[in-house]
Amino acid sequence: MIKFALLGCGRISSRHAELLSGGQIKNAKLIAVCDKEKDKADFLSKKYNCKSYQNITEMMKENEIDIVSVLTESGNHCKHAIELSKFNVHVIVEKPMALKVSDAKKMIKIFQSKKLKLFVVKQNRFNPAVLKLKKTLINKSLGKIFLGTIRVRWKRDNDYYLKDKWRGTWQLDGGVLANQAIHHIDLLEWMVGDVKSVYAKSIKALARIEAEDTAIVILKFKNGALGLIEVTTATRPRDLEGSLSILGSKGTVELGGFAVNEIKNWFVDKNKQTNKINRKKYLTLPPNVYGFGHKSFYENVIKSIKGKPNIVTFGKDGIKSLILVNAIYKSIELNREVFIGSGNHKSKLGRTK
């Protein structure tokens, strides 16, 4: 049995706790939860029948824990992951793995030196429709890819940002790019390849926050393809979509739904077996914008711990979307094209005013 603990009992924590405590994941058990706000920790503890703590050291010393999922504010991921590494446990970090690229590199280096595993939550990679598209691209059934796009049109009103003061701040969160859309940005790069340069614009359309709630990005990939990112949390009156489109010389695939969970269009080389799909299999509506992928993510984490083949995302993979997002923010600040790898791309993320 793999024993888990959660650090941070905010909005996303219920999704993790539900999976780890309800018998949905074989060989997983939720032992404890920890949050500096006692009410939040106690609520999860009572609901999911586990221990409640407000202090990391106390939780780790009183329990035999194999893996801790860090679900705290994005700007605190590095600090908390490194603190947990001192107890020689594996760590799962929610997206983004950090806000500063330098922090992410520090995390990777420390966990490698201790021979501990550092996982980054990229649950959308496990959506059935996403995995189907990835396999199709590996088989080159779409031919030469020349365009990839993502659209995130979600609703986050001011009540959402007011519930926690850290939301929408540069120091601990960032805007739609660093928070909501980073999953889709990860998918776009995972599908099309490494990015060469970005040129971006952003605005605060409706939200009263430090960072942006709406952004547009033009990308050029190293393989010559172009990309487009359109993301906003100012969609009204409700969440509309989280979509991904890939266009190639032999076909086009569009994944939609509000969690990249549905095949909207599937036009693949007719000579390939991948053209034969049952679209009804990919029409199940997920319960929320998180999609279905967390369960598969945790199952693959357990496989990794046991030394079995898996497709989980580690720190070295999770840092790629962070590097890209920081370059996008730098482009917005400088109002020009920014080339990936031309510098550290130190943006406002992770910094005070």
Side-chain angles (χ1 to χ4, degrees), residues 177-230:
L177 289 161
N179 190 328
Q180 289 81 13
I182 194 165
H183 280 303
H184 307 78
I185 291 170
D186 169 72
L187 288 183
L188 183 61
E189 194 169 21
W190 192 44
M191 295 295 180
V192 183
D194 293 339
V195 176
K196 180 179 180 180
S197 69
V198 297
Y199 185 67
K201 294 282 188 180
S202 71
I203 59 173
K204 283 185 273 191
L206 298 178
R208 295 191 291 272
I209 56 176
E210 286 182 2
E212 83 296 337
D213 68 0
T214 302
I216 295 287
V217 188
I218 299 172
L219 307 95
K220 186 168 185 179
F221 292 89
K222 289 183 179 180
N223 59 17
L226 294 178
L228 183 64
I229 294 172
E230 177 209 321

Side-chain angles (χ1 to χ4, degrees), residues 143-148 192 221 224-227 246-252:
K144 180 178 175 57
I145 305 304
F146 61 87
L147 181 63
V192 183
F221 292 89
L226 294 178
I246 304 294
L247 286 73
S249 59
K250 294 183 179 180
T252 300

Side-chain angles (χ1 to χ4, degrees), residues 83-277:
E83 185 174 355
L84 287 164
S85 72
K86 297 174 183 177
F87 297 96
N88 294 313
V89 293
H90 306 295
V91 167
I92 295 169
V93 183
E94 257 290 356
K95 56 79 188 170
M97 65 181 293
L99 292 184
K100 300 178 185 177
V101 174
S102 58
D103 281 348
K105 289 180 177 179
K106 186 189 303 182
M107 293 161 67
I108 293 169
K109 184 177 180 180
I110 288 174
F111 276 78
Q112 285 179 339
S113 69
K114 289 177 169 287
K115 296 183 179 180
L116 296 170
K117 295 189 175 182
L118 176 65
F119 305 96
V120 183
V121 180
K122 300 289 183 183
Q123 82 272 6
N124 284 344
R125 287 192 181 197
F126 294 93
N127 286 355
V130 170
L131 289 172
K132 183 70 174 177
L133 173 57
K134 182 64 176 178
K135 183 178 180 181
T136 298
L137 290 171
I138 291 173
N139 293 336
K140 300 186 183 302
S141 301
L142 291 181
K144 180 178 175 57
I145 305 304
F146 61 87
L147 181 63
T149 72
I150 60 168
R151 289 190 305 273
V152 179
R153 295 171 174 175
W154 285 350
K155 175 196 174 184
R156 298 291 184 273
D157 57 23
N158 281 308
D159 286 342
Y160 165 84
Y161 293 104
L162 290 172
K163 283 180 181 177
D164 293 292
K165 292 182 179 180
W166 61 271
R167 290 178 179 172
T169 64
W170 289 118
Q171 184 180 11
L172 295 175
D173 188 20
V176 62
L177 289 161
N179 190 328
Q180 289 81 13
I182 194 165
H183 280 303
H184 307 78
I185 291 170
D186 169 72
L187 288 183
L188 183 61
E189 194 169 21
W190 192 44
M191 295 295 180
V192 183
D194 293 339
V195 176
K196 180 179 180 180
S197 69
V198 297
Y199 185 67
K201 294 282 188 180
S202 71
I203 59 173
K204 283 185 273 191
L206 298 178
R208 295 191 291 272
I209 56 176
E210 286 182 2
E212 83 296 337
D213 68 0
T214 302
I216 295 287
V217 188
I218 299 172
L219 307 95
K220 186 168 185 179
F221 292 89
K222 289 183 179 180
N223 59 17
L226 294 178
L228 183 64
I229 294 172
E230 177 209 321
V231 294
T232 184
T233 53
T235 306
R236 299 295 187 266
R238 60 181 179 83
D239 292 331
L240 183 61
E241 66 175 317
S243 64
L244 166 70
S245 298
I246 304 294
L247 286 73
S249 59
K250 294 183 179 180
T252 300
V253 170
E254 179 188 11
L255 307 184
F258 58 75
V260 203
N261 57 285
E262 179 182 338
I263 292 178
K264 290 285 190 179
N265 289 292
W266 188 272
F267 304 108
V268 178
D269 186 351
K270 292 182 179 180
N271 295 321
K272 300 287 185 179
Q273 185 68 25
T274 51
N275 194 49
K276 299 177 181 178
I277 63 167

